[in-house]
mmCIF file of all heavy atoms in Angstrom:
data_model
loop_
_atom_site.group_PDB
_atom_site.id
_atom_site.type_symbol
_atom_site.label_atom_id
_atom_site.label_comp_id
_atom_site.label_asym_id
_atom_site.label_seq_id
_atom_site.Cartn_x
_atom_site.Cartn_y
_atom_site.Cartn_z
ATOM 1 N N TRP N 26 13.166 -2.031 21.158
ATOM 2 C CA TRP N 26 13.733 -1.266 20.063
ATOM 3 C C TRP N 26 15.157 -1.701 19.825
ATOM 4 O O TRP N 26 15.811 -2.233 20.713
ATOM 5 C CB TRP N 26 13.618 0.225 20.385
ATOM 6 C CG TRP N 26 13.875 1.107 19.201
ATOM 7 C CD1 TRP N 26 14.790 2.105 19.133
ATOM 8 C CD2 TRP N 26 13.221 1.070 17.930
ATOM 9 N NE1 TRP N 26 14.740 2.697 17.896
ATOM 10 C CE2 TRP N 26 13.798 2.080 17.133
ATOM 11 C CE3 TRP N 26 12.224 0.266 17.387
ATOM 12 C CZ2 TRP N 26 13.397 2.311 15.824
ATOM 13 C CZ3 TRP N 26 11.830 0.505 16.068
ATOM 14 C CH2 TRP N 26 12.413 1.519 15.313
ATOM 15 N N SER N 27 15.614 -1.528 18.596
ATOM 16 C CA SER N 27 16.962 -1.930 18.223
ATOM 17 C C SER N 27 17.999 -1.290 19.140
ATOM 18 O O SER N 27 17.846 -0.154 19.580
ATOM 19 C CB SER N 27 17.191 -1.518 16.779
ATOM 20 O OG SER N 27 18.517 -1.083 16.612
ATOM 21 N N ALA N 28 19.045 -2.053 19.424
ATOM 22 C CA ALA N 28 20.086 -1.552 20.320
ATOM 23 C C ALA N 28 21.024 -0.584 19.602
ATOM 24 O O ALA N 28 21.873 0.037 20.230
ATOM 25 C CB ALA N 28 20.869 -2.720 20.900
ATOM 26 N N ASP N 29 20.884 -0.461 18.263
ATOM 27 C CA ASP N 29 21.747 0.445 17.497
ATOM 28 C C ASP N 29 21.582 1.883 17.954
ATOM 29 O O ASP N 29 20.473 2.331 18.219
ATOM 30 C CB ASP N 29 21.337 0.413 16.027
ATOM 31 C CG ASP N 29 21.984 -0.730 15.284
ATOM 32 O OD1 ASP N 29 22.988 -1.255 15.786
ATOM 33 O OD2 ASP N 29 21.467 -1.085 14.206
ATOM 34 N N SER N 30 22.653 2.603 17.971
ATOM 35 C CA SER N 30 22.535 4.058 18.171
ATOM 36 C C SER N 30 22.508 4.709 16.786
ATOM 37 O O SER N 30 22.847 4.084 15.789
ATOM 38 C CB SER N 30 23.718 4.580 18.972
ATOM 39 O OG SER N 30 24.862 4.598 18.137
ATOM 40 N N LEU N 31 22.114 5.953 16.750
ATOM 41 C CA LEU N 31 22.088 6.682 15.486
ATOM 42 C C LEU N 31 23.474 6.683 14.851
ATOM 43 O O LEU N 31 23.623 6.504 13.645
ATOM 44 C CB LEU N 31 21.583 8.109 15.747
ATOM 45 C CG LEU N 31 21.294 8.965 14.529
ATOM 46 C CD1 LEU N 31 20.282 8.306 13.609
ATOM 47 C CD2 LEU N 31 20.779 10.342 14.974
ATOM 48 N N ASP N 32 24.494 6.862 15.698
ATOM 49 C CA ASP N 32 25.873 6.856 15.197
ATOM 50 C C ASP N 32 26.220 5.537 14.520
ATOM 51 O O ASP N 32 26.835 5.512 13.453
ATOM 52 C CB ASP N 32 26.863 7.103 16.350
ATOM 53 C CG ASP N 32 26.983 8.583 16.637
ATOM 54 O OD1 ASP N 32 26.558 9.379 15.776
ATOM 55 O OD2 ASP N 32 27.490 8.937 17.712
ATOM 56 N N ASP N 33 25.812 4.429 15.161
ATOM 57 C CA ASP N 33 26.095 3.106 14.571
ATOM 58 C C ASP N 33 25.507 3.027 13.176
ATOM 59 O O ASP N 33 26.155 2.597 12.221
ATOM 60 C CB ASP N 33 25.450 1.991 15.414
ATOM 61 C CG ASP N 33 26.078 1.876 16.794
ATOM 62 O OD1 ASP N 33 27.227 2.332 16.934
ATOM 63 O OD2 ASP N 33 25.399 1.353 17.712
ATOM 64 N N VAL N 34 24.253 3.430 13.077
ATOM 65 C CA VAL N 34 23.562 3.312 11.794
ATOM 66 C C VAL N 34 24.229 4.203 10.753
ATOM 67 O O VAL N 34 24.457 3.797 9.610
ATOM 68 C CB VAL N 34 22.066 3.682 11.946
ATOM 69 C CG1 VAL N 34 21.373 3.642 10.585
ATOM 70 C CG2 VAL N 34 21.386 2.742 12.919
ATOM 71 N N MET N 35 24.548 5.428 11.139
ATOM 72 C CA MET N 35 25.192 6.342 10.193
ATOM 73 C C MET N 35 26.504 5.758 9.689
ATOM 74 O O MET N 35 26.802 5.812 8.498
ATOM 75 C CB MET N 35 25.439 7.704 10.857
ATOM 76 C CG MET N 35 24.179 8.515 11.031
ATOM 77 S SD MET N 35 24.439 9.997 12.023
ATOM 78 C CE MET N 35 25.490 10.985 10.964
ATOM 79 N N LYS N 36 27.277 5.185 10.615
ATOM 80 C CA LYS N 36 28.565 4.615 10.226
ATOM 81 C C LYS N 36 28.350 3.434 9.283
ATOM 82 O O LYS N 36 28.955 3.341 8.232
ATOM 83 C CB LYS N 36 29.321 4.168 11.492
ATOM 84 C CG LYS N 36 30.796 4.607 11.459
ATOM 85 C CD LYS N 36 31.487 4.351 12.792
ATOM 86 C CE LYS N 36 31.318 5.526 13.761
ATOM 87 N NZ LYS N 36 31.493 5.121 15.175
ATOM 88 N N ARG N 37 27.475 2.548 9.697
ATOM 89 C CA ARG N 37 27.258 1.334 8.917
ATOM 90 C C ARG N 37 26.743 1.654 7.512
ATOM 91 O O ARG N 37 27.158 1.056 6.536
ATOM 92 C CB ARG N 37 26.264 0.433 9.645
ATOM 93 C CG ARG N 37 26.214 -0.970 9.075
ATOM 94 C CD ARG N 37 25.458 -1.935 9.974
ATOM 95 N NE ARG N 37 24.041 -1.635 10.049
ATOM 96 C CZ ARG N 37 23.402 -1.397 11.192
ATOM 97 N NH1 ARG N 37 24.047 -1.422 12.341
ATOM 98 N NH2 ARG N 37 22.101 -1.130 11.181
ATOM 99 N N ARG N 38 25.854 2.645 7.405
ATOM 100 C CA ARG N 38 25.251 2.932 6.100
ATOM 101 C C ARG N 38 25.962 4.071 5.369
ATOM 102 O O ARG N 38 25.540 4.479 4.288
ATOM 103 C CB ARG N 38 23.765 3.256 6.268
ATOM 104 C CG ARG N 38 22.990 2.098 6.886
ATOM 105 C CD ARG N 38 21.513 2.205 6.589
ATOM 106 N NE ARG N 38 21.252 2.192 5.174
ATOM 107 C CZ ARG N 38 20.346 2.965 4.555
ATOM 108 N NH1 ARG N 38 19.623 3.815 5.258
ATOM 109 N NH2 ARG N 38 20.170 2.887 3.267
ATOM 110 N N GLY N 39 27.021 4.591 5.976
ATOM 111 C CA GLY N 39 27.782 5.654 5.314
ATOM 112 C C GLY N 39 26.984 6.939 5.142
ATOM 113 O O GLY N 39 27.067 7.600 4.099
ATOM 114 N N LEU N 40 26.186 7.299 6.124
ATOM 115 C CA LEU N 40 25.356 8.500 6.026
ATOM 116 C C LEU N 40 26.027 9.690 6.691
ATOM 117 O O LEU N 40 26.641 9.554 7.749
ATOM 118 C CB LEU N 40 23.993 8.258 6.705
ATOM 119 C CG LEU N 40 23.137 7.112 6.159
ATOM 120 C CD1 LEU N 40 21.887 6.938 7.007
ATOM 121 C CD2 LEU N 40 22.780 7.344 4.703
ATOM 122 N N THR N 41 25.886 10.829 6.041
ATOM 123 C CA THR N 41 26.402 12.061 6.652
ATOM 124 C C THR N 41 25.311 12.678 7.529
ATOM 125 O O THR N 41 24.151 12.271 7.483
ATOM 126 C CB THR N 41 26.766 13.091 5.572
ATOM 127 O OG1 THR N 41 25.553 13.463 4.907
ATOM 128 C CG2 THR N 41 27.750 12.528 4.567
ATOM 129 N N GLU N 42 25.707 13.688 8.274
ATOM 130 C CA GLU N 42 24.746 14.387 9.125
ATOM 131 C C GLU N 42 23.652 15.027 8.271
ATOM 132 O O GLU N 42 22.477 15.053 8.620
ATOM 133 C CB GLU N 42 25.470 15.446 9.937
ATOM 134 C CG GLU N 42 24.687 15.883 11.150
ATOM 135 C CD GLU N 42 25.517 16.802 12.036
ATOM 136 O OE1 GLU N 42 26.692 16.466 12.301
ATOM 137 O OE2 GLU N 42 24.985 17.847 12.417
ATOM 138 N N LYS N 43 24.082 15.526 7.078
ATOM 139 C CA LYS N 43 23.130 16.145 6.164
ATOM 140 C C LYS N 43 22.093 15.124 5.677
ATOM 141 O O LYS N 43 20.906 15.424 5.590
ATOM 142 C CB LYS N 43 23.904 16.708 4.961
ATOM 143 C CG LYS N 43 23.306 17.976 4.415
ATOM 144 C CD LYS N 43 24.198 18.573 3.341
ATOM 145 C CE LYS N 43 23.308 19.198 2.295
ATOM 146 N NZ LYS N 43 23.762 19.008 0.937
ATOM 147 N N ASP N 44 22.580 13.904 5.402
ATOM 148 C CA ASP N 44 21.667 12.837 4.971
ATOM 149 C C ASP N 44 20.617 12.570 6.047
ATOM 150 O O ASP N 44 19.430 12.422 5.767
ATOM 151 C CB ASP N 44 22.428 11.518 4.724
ATOM 152 C CG ASP N 44 23.407 11.618 3.572
ATOM 153 O OD1 ASP N 44 23.181 12.468 2.686
ATOM 154 O OD2 ASP N 44 24.389 10.857 3.570
ATOM 155 N N VAL N 45 21.104 12.480 7.278
ATOM 156 C CA VAL N 45 20.205 12.127 8.381
ATOM 157 C C VAL N 45 19.179 13.232 8.596
ATOM 158 O O VAL N 45 17.998 12.973 8.856
ATOM 159 C CB VAL N 45 21.018 11.848 9.660
ATOM 160 C CG1 VAL N 45 20.094 11.618 10.845
ATOM 161 C CG2 VAL N 45 21.910 10.640 9.445
ATOM 162 N N LEU N 46 19.637 14.461 8.438
ATOM 163 C CA LEU N 46 18.725 15.593 8.581
ATOM 164 C C LEU N 46 17.647 15.554 7.485
ATOM 165 O O LEU N 46 16.456 15.759 7.742
ATOM 166 C CB LEU N 46 19.523 16.894 8.495
ATOM 167 C CG LEU N 46 18.887 18.098 9.168
ATOM 168 C CD1 LEU N 46 18.649 17.831 10.646
ATOM 169 C CD2 LEU N 46 19.790 19.321 8.993
ATOM 170 N N ALA N 47 18.105 15.257 6.257
ATOM 171 C CA ALA N 47 17.151 15.160 5.143
ATOM 172 C C ALA N 47 16.152 14.037 5.408
ATOM 173 O O ALA N 47 14.951 14.187 5.192
ATOM 174 C CB ALA N 47 17.891 14.912 3.825
ATOM 175 N N ALA N 48 16.671 12.904 5.924
ATOM 176 C CA ALA N 48 15.786 11.773 6.222
ATOM 177 C C ALA N 48 14.753 12.190 7.265
ATOM 178 O O ALA N 48 13.564 11.887 7.143
ATOM 179 C CB ALA N 48 16.600 10.579 6.709
ATOM 180 N N ALA N 49 15.212 12.892 8.281
ATOM 181 C CA ALA N 49 14.295 13.307 9.353
ATOM 182 C C ALA N 49 13.235 14.265 8.823
ATOM 183 O O ALA N 49 12.113 14.296 9.304
ATOM 184 C CB ALA N 49 15.075 13.946 10.490
ATOM 185 N N LYS N 50 13.612 15.048 7.800
ATOM 186 C CA LYS N 50 12.640 16.002 7.245
ATOM 187 C C LYS N 50 11.592 15.339 6.357
ATOM 188 O O LYS N 50 10.537 15.908 6.117
ATOM 189 C CB LYS N 50 13.370 17.073 6.424
ATOM 190 C CG LYS N 50 14.062 18.110 7.288
ATOM 191 C CD LYS N 50 14.691 19.174 6.424
ATOM 192 C CE LYS N 50 15.338 20.248 7.277
ATOM 193 N NZ LYS N 50 15.943 21.299 6.443
ATOM 194 N N TYR N 52 10.887 11.764 6.591
ATOM 195 C CA TYR N 52 10.346 10.537 7.168
ATOM 196 C C TYR N 52 8.992 10.796 7.826
ATOM 197 O O TYR N 52 8.849 11.710 8.640
ATOM 198 C CB TYR N 52 11.315 9.968 8.193
ATOM 199 C CG TYR N 52 10.831 8.689 8.837
ATOM 200 C CD1 TYR N 52 10.635 7.552 8.055
ATOM 201 C CD2 TYR N 52 10.560 8.622 10.201
ATOM 202 C CE1 TYR N 52 10.180 6.381 8.631
ATOM 203 C CE2 TYR N 52 10.095 7.444 10.777
ATOM 204 C CZ TYR N 52 9.917 6.326 9.989
ATOM 205 O OH TYR N 52 9.455 5.172 10.562
#
Side-chain angles (χ1 to χ4, degrees):
W26 193 235
S27 143
D29 275 341
S30 74
L31 189 57
D32 278 344
D33 294 338
V34 176
M35 286 172 68
K36 225 171 273 158
R37 193 168 68 237
R38 300 201 60 221
L40 301 175
T41 65
E42 200 172 314
K43 214 173 145 219
D44 295 335
V45 174
L46 204 59
K50 284 183 178 181
Y52 180 63

